[in-house]
């Protein structure tokens, strides 16, 4: 009889911070430049160059720490982690070992209600640990520490195995590493935790946290133990999993591998493993025995950072309203369904647009509809994130007012919106310039209706013979004749009057 096992998981999450410049020099952090375009003596490790700490990095780290209930270390400092690798020109990484900037925090996660990401992750392989469950469970996941460090450069290997090139543009890009306690027990909890972190950090504007693009990277530490046991088992670490799906698969695969070892009387070895999501298995990279000794020591080139209470207060005061608080306030302030609220608050950018546009036009449900339907459709079609939305709340409100005051009808509004979505065009001007105004003169619409009736005797006969649907066809003909600029409601009304 095999025992029941519990999975124990702790995460190390690296997040690239959205600063304009690198952590210890003034080089740009912009992505996509020519290789080595954004480099200087500091971030290429030239002898004699000296690092200067970027204040914004400290503020972002503090902001994330405060939002995750951490204590801020008033006297924190940087240490050198020594190792040789060609993407690391200094032969050490500046990080924080002894006195990380944040410690002892937690985030609260919710499970039981599957998010879109969890559902998608489930689609591929059978995630045995995720079950559809309607009861929402809340739990705290401890955060051991958050520290600041610099990213390494990037090696590019040619296809023939002869040449390796190095690009130092990423060298010195600021990172925070968020180390959790081993508090998670399933893939579902892990994804809920990552989503929670991502939401907090995105709301802070500290990073865009994209797993696929590497601005958020998760290392999964996992062990199993018999249910009821109070001691942790030996863990393995799986590095750099870059999607919720591969995280879910890796957890399932590694849990099963460890249980098989224990069931056959073996011992799990503490090691780093790489998960191959195409083969659905992991393989060992290096064990703890050949782990390097990094010979950490305090970096003599950087002063310790002393953080005064006033500075912490300043960062605290600048914190945004986070998602949970926003959801509660929306429920009080706006008459819109909970479903809308969930979707709108899933991005701070979208929530900001919603609030401002609703404030201007006073029609929250209509604003919400434009965001949930047309905006979501176009974002998906153009593979964009809500953060990249370009239209202004003022123009969205204007568009809604144009429809309300019958200057344009709904289908024209959709056309105008597509243009506005790309260029934040002023909808009123655009409608004016392109002669898109609706024909509100009932006399003019009536004339078109009469013409349509004369030209479509069969539909008229159908309608009169009791086929109510025929009116729809006639309205369509009127709209066509009016080049889309009639109000379908008015056309419908006039047609019925004429035919009765
Ligand atoms: P190291 O110093 O070797 O990196 P840490 O104590 O910093 O180890 O832990 C690294 C990560 O591993 C943390 O996120 C922690 O929660 C997790 N972890 C530690 N022990 C276990 C365990 N037995 N099972 C699962 N995860 C663990
Ligand atoms: Mg570690
Ligand atoms: Zn530089």
């Amino acid at each position: 009889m095999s025992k029941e096992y519990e999975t124990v998981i702790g995460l190390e999450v690296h997040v690239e911070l959205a600063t304009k410049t690198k952590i210890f020099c003034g080089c740009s952090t912009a992505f996509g430049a020519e290789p080595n375009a954004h480099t200087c003596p500091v971030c290429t490790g030239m002898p004699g160059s000296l690092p200067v700490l970027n204040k914004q990095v400290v503020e972002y780290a503090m902001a994330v720490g405060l939002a995750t209930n951490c204590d801020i270390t008033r006297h924190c400092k940087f240490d050198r982690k020594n190792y040789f690798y060609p993407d690391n020109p200094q032969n050490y990484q500046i990080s924080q070992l002894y006195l990380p900037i944040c410690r002892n925090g937690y985030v609260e996660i919710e499970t039981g209600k599957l998010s879109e990401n969890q559902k998608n992750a489930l689609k591929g392989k059978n995630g045995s640990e995720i079950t559809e469950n309607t009861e929402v469970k809340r739990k705290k996941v401890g955060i051991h520490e958050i520290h600041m460090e610099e990213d390494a450069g990037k090696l590019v290997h040619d296809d023939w195995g002869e040449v390796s090139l190095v690009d130092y543009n990423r060298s010195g890009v600021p990172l925070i590493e968020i180390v959790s306690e081993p508090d998670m027990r399933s893939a579902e909890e892990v994804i809920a935790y990552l989503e929670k972190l991502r939401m907090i950090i995105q709301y802070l504007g500290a990073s865009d946290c994209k797993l696929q693009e590497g601005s958020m990277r998760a290392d999964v530490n996992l062990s199993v133990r018999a249910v009821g046991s109070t001691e942790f088992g030996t863990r393995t670490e799986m590095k750099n999993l870059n999607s919720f799906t591969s995280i879910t698969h890796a957890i399932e695969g590694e849990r099963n591998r460890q249980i098989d070892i224990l069931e056959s009387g073996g011992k799990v070895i503490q090691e780093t493993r790489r998960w191959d999501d195409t083969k659905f298995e992991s393989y060992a990279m290096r064990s703890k025995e050949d782990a390097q000794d990094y010979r950490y020591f305090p970096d003599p080139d950087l002063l310790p950072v002393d953080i005064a209470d006033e500075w912490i207060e300043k960062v605290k005061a600048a914190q945004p309203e986070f998602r949970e608080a926003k959801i509660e306030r929306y429920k009080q302030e706006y008459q819109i369904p909970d479903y809308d609220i969930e979707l709108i608050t899933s991005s701070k950018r979208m929530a900001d647009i919603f609030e401002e546009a609703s404030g201007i036009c006073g029609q929250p449900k209509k604003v919400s509809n434009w965001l949930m339907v047309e905006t979501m459709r176009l974002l998906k079609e153009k593979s964009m994130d809500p953060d990249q939305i370009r239209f202004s709340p003022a123009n969205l409100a204007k568009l809604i007012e144009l429809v309300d005051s019958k200057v344009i009808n709904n289908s024209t509004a959709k056309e105008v919106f597509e243009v506005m979505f790309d260029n934040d065009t002023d909808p009123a001007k655009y409608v004016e310039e392109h002669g898109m105004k609706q024909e509100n003169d009932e006399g003019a619409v009536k004339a078109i209706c009469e013409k349509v009736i004369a030209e479509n005797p069969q539909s008229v006969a159908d309608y009169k013979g009791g086929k109510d649907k025929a009116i729809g066809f006639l309205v369509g003909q009127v709209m066509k004749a009016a080049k889309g600029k009639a109000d379908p409601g008015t056309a419908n009304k006039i047609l019925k009057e004429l035919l009765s």
Side-chain angles (χ1 to χ4, degrees):
M1 245 281 292
S2 67
K3 279 187 258 171
E4 288 262 10
Y5 288 91
E6 177 178 56
T7 319
V8 174
I9 304 163
L11 294 190
E12 292 160 286
V13 177
H14 285 91
V15 174
E16 254 176 30
L17 297 177
T19 54
K20 292 206 171 59
T21 55
K22 294 185 179 180
I23 182 169
F24 299 121
C25 63
C27 291
S28 164
T29 55
F31 190 76
E34 283 283 295
N36 298 304
H38 298 158
T39 53
C40 74
V42 173
C43 57
T44 51
M46 294 295 159
S49 63
L50 287 172
V52 177
L53 178 60
N54 181 341
K55 189 175 172 189
Q56 182 66 57
V57 173
V58 183
E59 291 199 348
Y60 276 150
M62 272 202 273
V64 175
L66 291 169
T68 53
N69 308 292
C70 289
D71 301 326
I72 305 295
T73 312
R74 305 305 159 107
H75 179 80
C76 78
K77 55 183 186 170
F78 288 94
D79 306 296
R80 287 186 182 180
K81 178 180 182 178
N82 299 282
Y83 67 94
F84 172 77
Y85 200 68
D87 65 6
N88 168 35
Q90 297 159 140
N91 288 342
Y92 56 83
Q93 177 195 30
I94 306 179
S95 180
Q96 297 192 294
L97 179 71
Y98 302 107
L99 292 169
I101 183 160
C102 309
R103 284 178 288 200
N104 272 329
Y106 68 87
V107 291
E108 202 169 63
I109 59 165
E110 270 183 16
T111 51
K113 186 180 61 176
L114 291 194
S115 71
E116 284 310 308
N117 284 323
Q118 287 165 335
K119 283 183 202 152
N120 286 339
L122 260 173
K123 268 182 209 152
K125 191 88 178 178
N126 211 10
S128 61
E129 292 185 61
I130 298 186
T131 46
E132 187 81 60
N133 181 351
T134 44
E135 194 197 334
V136 175
K137 274 183 276 169
R138 288 195 177 78
K139 114 174 216 184
K140 283 179 183 172
V141 174
I143 290 179
H144 183 75
E145 65 172 77
I146 301 176
H147 58 257
M148 302 177 277
E149 60 187 29
E150 55 181 342
D151 209 344
K154 227 178 214 164
L155 283 180
V156 184
H157 308 287
D158 70 16
D159 294 341
W160 310 277
E162 284 171 5
V163 187
S164 290
L165 302 166
V166 69
D167 175 7
Y168 290 127
N169 282 347
R170 201 179 62 184
S171 166
V173 166
L175 300 173
I176 49 172
E177 178 175 340
I178 305 164
V179 183
S180 85
E181 298 294 350
D183 285 347
M184 287 160 275
R185 297 291 175 268
S186 65
E188 190 191 358
E189 289 186 0
V190 167
I191 293 175
Y193 169 76
L194 287 168
E195 284 183 321
K196 185 65 182 258
L197 282 185
R198 185 165 74 171
M199 200 58 73
I200 289 172
I201 297 169
Q202 286 176 345
Y203 261 70
L204 287 166
S207 173
D208 57 11
C209 292
K210 288 188 187 159
L211 281 165
Q212 260 84 357
E213 292 177 16
S215 55
M216 186 179 206
R217 319 196 266 264
D219 302 342
V220 175
N221 296 274
L222 185 148
S223 61
V224 296
R225 62 178 174 188
V227 166
S229 158
T230 50
E231 265 165 49
F232 287 140
T234 304
R235 74 173 190 271
T236 60
E237 179 176 2
M238 289 177 288
K239 281 210 174 291
N240 289 334
L241 296 158
N242 65 359
S243 71
F244 284 129
T245 311
S246 61
I247 289 170
T248 305
H249 294 171
I251 288 171
E252 188 193 355
E254 182 58 14
R255 170 188 153 89
N256 291 337
R257 192 189 68 89
Q258 291 188 12
I259 292 174
D260 286 348
I261 292 174
L262 297 179
E263 287 287 299
S264 59
K267 264 192 181 151
V268 174
I269 311 167
Q270 189 173 338
E271 62 189 356
T272 305
R273 302 181 64 85
R274 185 175 288 282
W275 175 255
D276 184 334
D277 207 36
T278 52
K279 298 203 183 98
F280 211 76
E281 61 187 30
S282 65
Y283 56 90
M285 285 169 66
R286 56 181 134 90
S287 74
K288 203 71 188 173
E289 281 79 70
D290 45 63
Q292 313 172 45
D293 177 357
Y294 293 115
R295 306 190 62 156
Y296 277 98
F297 66 88
D299 193 302
D301 288 343
L302 285 156
L303 288 169
V305 184
D306 284 301
I307 299 172
D309 290 350
E310 296 79 57
W311 196 11
I312 296 178
E313 288 312 316
K314 225 178 99 191
V315 174
K316 245 188 215 163
Q319 299 282 74
E321 175 186 44
F322 287 105
R323 190 181 187 195
E324 294 68 34
K326 226 182 237 311
I327 289 177
E328 284 316 307
R329 182 167 63 80
Y330 281 17
K331 285 184 180 169
Q332 305 294 320
E333 275 179 31
Y334 301 104
Q335 306 295 318
I336 59 171
D338 288 357
Y339 180 80
D340 295 33
I341 296 179
E342 286 281 322
L343 198 128
I344 291 168
T345 56
S346 67
S347 140
K348 179 166 184 294
R349 173 99 177 108
M350 202 120 87
D352 288 345
I353 294 175
F354 169 76
E355 287 180 38
E356 210 182 317
S358 301
I360 299 170
C361 71
Q363 309 233 50
K365 182 56 189 157
K366 286 186 181 160
V367 175
S368 155
N369 285 348
W370 278 105
L371 291 174
M372 299 211 316
V373 185
E374 288 303 297
T375 306
M376 291 310 280
R377 180 179 70 79
L378 290 169
L379 286 174
K380 203 165 174 191
E381 198 178 293
K382 296 168 195 271
S383 315
M384 286 165 62
D385 286 322
D387 280 338
Q388 295 167 294
I389 292 177
R390 281 183 290 257
F391 65 82
S392 61
N395 278 337
L396 178 56
K398 227 184 233 181
L399 185 69
I400 291 170
E401 278 161 3
L402 288 173
V403 179
D404 281 350
S405 56
K406 298 203 168 216
V407 175
I408 54 174
N409 61 32
N410 260 317
S411 52
T412 308
K414 279 186 194 163
E415 251 177 78
V416 177
F417 183 74
E418 289 208 10
V419 179
M420 204 178 99
F421 185 88
D422 287 335
N423 315 309
D424 193 27
T425 316
D426 179 327
K429 263 197 200 140
Y430 189 82
V431 164
E432 191 70 53
E433 284 166 12
H434 291 78
M436 295 170 104
K437 277 194 187 166
Q438 165 167 291
E439 184 55 78
N440 286 324
D441 173 4
E442 289 211 7
V445 180
K446 193 172 172 190
I448 299 174
C449 288
E450 283 165 343
K451 190 165 163 270
V452 165
I453 287 172
E455 284 169 0
N456 295 280
Q458 186 56 50
S459 300
V460 171
D462 287 350
Y463 177 70
K464 288 190 170 161
K467 280 196 191 160
D468 285 344
K469 274 188 190 156
I471 200 86
F473 173 76
L474 293 170
V475 170
Q477 293 304 303
V478 173
M479 295 303 289
K480 206 169 144 192
K483 300 202 172 68
K485 289 187 284 184
D487 172 26
T490 311
N492 190 299
K493 193 189 79 184
I494 294 176
L495 281 168
K496 280 184 177 163
E497 281 166 11
L498 291 170
L499 293 174
S500 67

